[in-house]
Amino acid sequence: MNNKVVATCDFLIIGAGIVGLNVARCLKRIFREASVIVIEKESECGFHASGRNSGVLHAGFYYTPDSLKAKFTRLGNQLLTEYCDEKKIPINKCGKLVVAKNEDDLAGLDILLKRGRENGVVLQEITEQEASEIEPRVRTHQRALFSPSTASVDPNQVLNAMKHDALREGIKIHCNAQYLKKIRNGMIVTTAGNYQPGYIINAAGLYADQIAKDFNFSQHYCVLPFKGIYLYSNEPKHSFKTNIYPVPDLKNPFLGVHFTITVGGQIKIGPTAIPAFWREQYNLLERFKFSEFTEILKKQLGLFFYSKFDFKKLALEEMKKYSRHYMVQLASVLAKDVKKENYTQFGKPGIRAQLLNVKEKKLEMDFILEGDKQSMHILNAVSPGFTSSLPFSQYVCDRIIELIT
């Protein structure tokens, strides 16, 4: 470990994902003369969730009107769409159908339609016939919802553009600098040396809760990792005209297996939400840490027997999705001519840094921040964190300004 002081700065952001980069950019716009540094433990920005998400720009109708997600998703969709158009980043403005599998799902469609209207989201209630005109292969019971503003992008292209914007705006990005601990006088120890910041923003994703504990935050929270994997189709590109989603179980934050069209027109089904046994368990024993394994396994076992969201049922259902056959079976309820032989390759896994309220034994559904005059900690910025990143980052900065001025 290198103990030299690498730099002093006014603002130090831990984590160069899409939220970390945009918080840095926002602070630099507000405090033009301030020195802003982003440290990132990997050799590149967005190595984790920011570069491994679906790339879907959500519309914002899933969330209750009183939530931060409802507040920022619609605006985030608009701002990111404008950003991609301005930067000439390819975007697939294909929309999304939400379908009913049976009579029981119709009540769920009504709830989503109501939320969409309350959130100011354009959402069309359509018949089964109208749904088939949008997507000839769709299956739905009686009716469906259509979201015209849902789109898809390549998240890495978006992130690279934002990284270059940040550098051009005078922000310094230090990769291969992993946070280790906080020591006297607020100094931050990293694998690349020590930093002396005026203010710290923790945007560390999977490790945000652990870092927050060094600052006496996240006392009732911990990150519970869930592995998300998509299964790709070998059908010709643009075999589907729009994304197709089921009515989700609104008691948990996952949307169920669905069809997503990438920006290039490739079809994929998923994702899974399989409980992971350590924070970066992308493949087999990759990045295995015994201490994390025992900590997370203990939490999972406790939730297996008691939780407010039926972790046992969720875990068992999600584990079945390691099976290609089962994934295709779930997807075939949503569309016609879905054949196992067309779905042969799993994509790059991602890990969802889902916040667990340990005290109440429930998954947190909304974005969560904790902070004071010295530091701000972004504890829960899961989906639609990518879509919401621009207005959410402004919100984080507004909170910081309230605390330090």
Side-chain angles (χ1 to χ4, degrees):
M1 183 174 65
N2 189 342
N3 288 320
K4 71 177 183 178
V5 175
V6 174
T8 59
C9 58
D10 296 304
F11 297 100
L12 181 71
I13 294 90
I14 303 168
I18 193 166
V19 172
L21 287 177
N22 280 293
V23 168
R25 295 181 63 209
C26 180
L27 288 169
K28 189 66 174 173
R29 284 195 299 271
I30 297 167
F31 303 99
R32 294 184 181 276
E33 302 304 315
S35 53
V36 181
I37 297 176
V38 182
I39 59 171
E40 167 57 50
K41 72 171 184 173
E42 307 294 349
S43 60
E44 58 189 287
C45 299
F47 179 85
H48 296 284
S50 293
R52 295 171 180 262
N53 66 76
S54 68
V56 173
L57 302 188
H58 292 282
F61 55 84
Y62 288 113
Y63 321 109
T64 56
D66 59 342
S67 65
L68 293 176
K69 286 185 177 182
K71 186 176 182 180
F72 299 132
T73 307
R74 181 181 62 82
L75 180 58
N77 177 295
Q78 176 189 329
L79 293 177
L80 260 185
T81 299
E82 290 171 357
Y83 181 83
C84 289
D85 287 341
E86 177 193 338
K87 297 288 181 178
K88 306 219 175 341
I89 297 169
I91 179 168
N92 187 352
K93 299 177 183 180
C94 58
K96 173 166 76 175
L97 284 168
V98 182
V99 301
K101 298 188 291 294
N102 49 45
E103 189 77 21
D104 293 341
D105 276 349
L106 296 179
L109 283 182
D110 293 336
I111 292 171
L112 294 179
L113 182 63
K114 183 173 183 289
R115 288 184 180 182
R117 287 172 175 166
E118 289 173 334
N119 296 344
V121 176
V122 176
L123 197 59
Q124 301 167 7
E125 185 177 22
I126 59 175
T127 65
E128 185 176 348
Q129 176 60 35
E130 289 169 330
S132 66
E133 290 168 6
I134 295 169
E135 172 48 68
R137 294 173 64 179
V138 74
R139 295 180 189 272
T140 192
H141 178 75
Q142 294 186 4
R143 50 195 171 93
L145 300 177
F146 182 64
S147 164
S149 61
T150 300
S152 60
V153 296
D154 179 341
N156 286 296
Q157 287 187 336
V158 174
L159 201 75
N160 284 335
M162 290 174 171
K163 179 187 76 172
H164 290 305
D165 285 343
L167 292 171
R168 189 175 62 253
E169 290 158 4
I171 294 160
K172 294 179 181 177
I173 302 172
H174 295 180
C175 291
N176 298 306
Q178 181 177 354
Y179 172 93
L180 296 176
K181 61 182 178 179
K182 177 174 78 76
I183 56 174
R184 63 190 182 281
N185 301 324
M187 189 174 288
I188 300 300
V189 180
T190 80
T191 52
N194 296 351
Y195 289 78
Q196 187 68 68
Y199 195 91
I200 296 159
I201 299 94
N202 167 15
L206 286 161
Y207 288 92
D209 61 325
Q210 288 194 344
I211 292 172
K213 285 178 169 59
D214 286 356
F215 296 79
N216 296 316
F217 290 106
S218 192
Q219 296 302 304
H220 302 299
Y221 298 114
C222 77
V223 165
L224 200 63
F226 288 85
K227 183 186 294 188
I229 315 172
Y230 280 94
L231 183 59
Y232 281 77
S233 171
N234 58 21
E235 292 182 273
K237 291 181 178 179
H238 302 289
S239 294
F240 283 84
K241 299 182 185 305
T242 189
N243 300 304
I244 307 174
Y245 283 58
V247 174
D249 178 355
L250 295 173
K251 296 192 296 292
N252 70 52
F254 310 112
L255 296 181
V257 169
H258 50 262
F259 287 88
T260 300
I261 308 175
T262 69
V263 69
Q266 191 171 12
I267 311 305
K268 57 185 179 180
I269 58 175
T272 63
I274 301 167
F277 295 113
W278 56 96
R279 291 169 195 251
E280 296 177 2
Q281 190 196 0
Y282 292 113
N283 296 294
L284 296 176
L285 296 177
E286 183 180 359
R287 300 189 176 216
F288 175 75
K289 293 182 180 178
F290 183 74
S291 61
E292 286 184 14
F293 173 73
T294 55
E295 172 210 359
I296 289 169
L297 186 61
K298 182 179 177 182
K299 292 278 191 312
Q300 290 173 343
L301 287 172
L303 293 171
F304 209 77
F305 296 105
Y306 176 73
S307 69
K308 291 187 177 178
F309 60 99
D310 200 348
F311 178 78
K312 180 179 179 179
K313 180 181 177 182
L314 173 66
L316 293 175
E317 169 65 20
E318 292 299 322
M319 292 294 285
K320 289 158 65 176
K321 294 177 186 175
Y322 272 127
S323 161
R324 260 191 328 119
H325 175 77
Y326 187 63
M327 287 273 278
V328 173
Q329 181 183 326
L330 290 174
S332 67
V333 177
L334 310 178
K336 304 166 189 171
D337 287 329
V338 180
K339 301 173 183 176
K340 181 182 173 184
E341 56 266 30
N342 290 332
Y343 291 85
T344 57
Q345 185 176 355
F346 282 101
K348 183 170 68 172
I351 304 287
R352 179 189 181 105
Q354 175 63 53
L355 199 66
L356 171 71
N357 187 317
V358 179
K359 190 175 181 181
E360 298 183 19
K361 293 184 170 56
K362 68 172 187 176
L363 299 180
E364 290 294 346
M365 302 287 281
D366 206 2
F367 301 141
I368 290 180
L369 304 176
E370 291 184 343
D372 59 15
K373 291 180 179 295
Q374 285 77 45
S375 64
M376 178 62 68
H377 304 270
I378 303 166
L379 298 179
N380 203 41
V382 291
S383 180
F386 184 84
T387 302
S388 303
S389 56
L390 293 175
F392 177 64
S393 298
Q394 179 66 57
Y395 173 76
V396 173
C397 293
D398 291 344
R399 287 282 304 275
I400 291 169
I401 291 167
E402 287 173 7
L403 289 167
I404 65 176
T405 57

